[in-house]
Amino acid sequence: MSDPMPVDERDPSAIDAAALADHPSFASTLANGLAILGCFSGGEPWLGNKDIAQRLGLSKPTVSRLTFTLIALGYLRRDRQTGKYQLGPAVLSLGYPLLSQLTIRQIAAEDLLDLARYAHGPVSVGARDRLQVVYVETSQGKETNATKPGIGSTRPLLRTAIGRALLHAHGDAERMFIEHRLQQAMPEEWQTYEVGLKEAYRQIDRLGFCIVAGDWRPTLAAVAVPMRHPVMGMQLAFNLTVPSYATNEEQLTRDLGPRLVELVRRIEQKLGK
């Protein structure tokens, strides 16, 4: 891959992670506190100081000071019996303003639900958070299965249809920079999935959507469509996920993919995009 084009350093999110740590304006204590919040997930809702220290490579005294501060501010809660921590209600107050301003969630709600009911699988909207996808909306019909991603859950960029669609949505220079970061941060994944990523770009150019079956989870297949214009300054993409056993390439190509493209174009019209 050729070197990425120069990145405007007025955008701190575009600075390489290694260079960021040495930047004179970088606040490492704040970064460590936020990194602690990022350690918690649906699969591991409770973590102790030792767990956090091992994940982040921080000393136990540093973690203790930070968790104390986060508890005081309401971002963590501590179980008195186990001494372990869980995310606190204040975390919700951080994300709510963004979600409430993202009007596409209300505009798209009915269309998302209609397609989810038709396909018997969740239809979601995602944005890029550094080198991953974060879901900002998901709709599903009465069927319940393990494919439904919750709001705020994350997925990899390289291995998912929505991740590849999001990369396609960025301009050439920014996409080249993100790909360079991915290649540096996860070289093995890049080597494995670069061919699939480039094929997804070609599918989107030709069909308006891309298909990924099995690269994220062997039991899942998905189609994804990038929005052609940013919303609130963010690139967004939509995806539809169904169990692999319940679909085939012809249905994904001739039915579900085109329906998702139609849904996204309809939403773009409603937004005046």
Side-chain angles (χ1 to χ4, degrees):
M1 178 188 294
S2 58
D3 291 337
M5 297 180 67
V7 175
D8 186 352
E9 289 203 1
R10 290 175 298 181
D11 178 9
S13 66
I15 301 176
D16 180 83
L20 187 62
D22 297 325
H23 197 283
S25 297
F26 184 71
S28 59
T29 301
L30 173 61
N32 288 336
L34 294 174
I36 286 176
L37 298 180
C39 286
F40 295 85
S41 67
E44 292 186 287
W46 293 96
L47 295 173
N49 282 334
K50 181 180 179 181
D51 303 318
I52 296 169
Q54 290 176 341
R55 281 166 172 73
L56 300 180
L58 299 174
S59 68
K60 288 184 181 179
T62 297
V63 172
S64 295
R65 289 194 299 272
L66 291 170
T67 52
F68 175 88
T69 303
L70 291 168
I71 291 172
L73 297 176
Y75 295 110
L76 288 181
R77 295 185 296 124
R78 184 174 184 270
D79 183 89
R80 293 184 178 181
Q81 292 185 335
T82 65
K84 293 191 173 185
Y85 308 100
Q86 186 180 50
L87 292 177
V91 173
L92 296 174
S93 66
L94 289 179
Y96 176 74
L98 172 62
L99 292 175
S100 64
Q101 294 171 36
L102 201 58
T103 56
I104 188 174
R105 297 174 62 240
Q106 291 75 41
I107 292 172
E110 185 175 347
D111 290 319
L112 294 179
L113 183 58
D114 287 345
L115 182 55
R117 285 171 172 166
Y118 172 82
H120 304 292
V123 183
S124 306
V125 187
R128 182 177 66 86
D129 171 22
R130 292 160 293 177
L131 300 183
Q132 62 186 1
V133 180
V134 60
Y135 282 102
V136 298
E137 184 61 289
T138 293
S139 184
Q140 182 165 299
K142 293 181 179 179
E143 299 82 5
T144 58
N145 56 59
T147 67
K148 182 179 180 181
I151 295 175
S153 62
T154 59
R155 298 291 185 270
L157 279 172
L158 284 173
R159 291 188 285 144
T160 60
I162 193 169
R164 295 173 186 180
L166 275 173
L167 283 169
H168 186 280
H170 289 76
D172 292 341
E174 191 171 9
R175 185 190 311 131
M176 187 182 299
F177 174 76
I178 300 167
E179 289 178 356
H180 183 72
R181 291 278 301 276
L182 286 165
Q183 188 177 17
Q184 288 181 319
M186 43 196 75
E188 292 184 3
E189 280 201 21
W190 177 263
Q191 186 174 8
T192 302
Y193 297 108
E194 180 187 10
V195 172
L197 175 65
K198 303 305 182 184
E199 173 58 25
Y201 292 167
R202 289 189 288 270
Q203 288 180 347
I204 293 171
D205 290 336
R206 187 175 73 253
L207 303 171
F209 62 90
C210 65
I211 298 171
V212 174
D215 283 356
W216 164 229
R217 290 181 181 171
T219 57
L220 299 180
V223 292
V225 177
M227 289 196 72
R228 294 177 292 189
H229 302 282
V231 176
M232 290 178 56
M234 295 184 296
Q235 303 293 348
L236 299 176
F238 290 64
N239 78 332
L240 166 60
T241 306
V242 293
S244 298
Y245 67 81
T247 190
N248 54 48
E249 185 174 354
E250 182 175 3
Q251 183 190 30
L252 294 169
T253 303
R254 297 182 179 276
D255 184 24
L256 299 183
R259 285 178 183 273
L260 187 60
V261 172
E262 182 182 355
L263 179 152
V264 174
R265 299 295 173 257
R266 191 159 57 244
I267 293 169
E268 288 174 338
Q269 289 179 348
K270 292 179 182 179
L271 292 169
K273 300 292 185 179

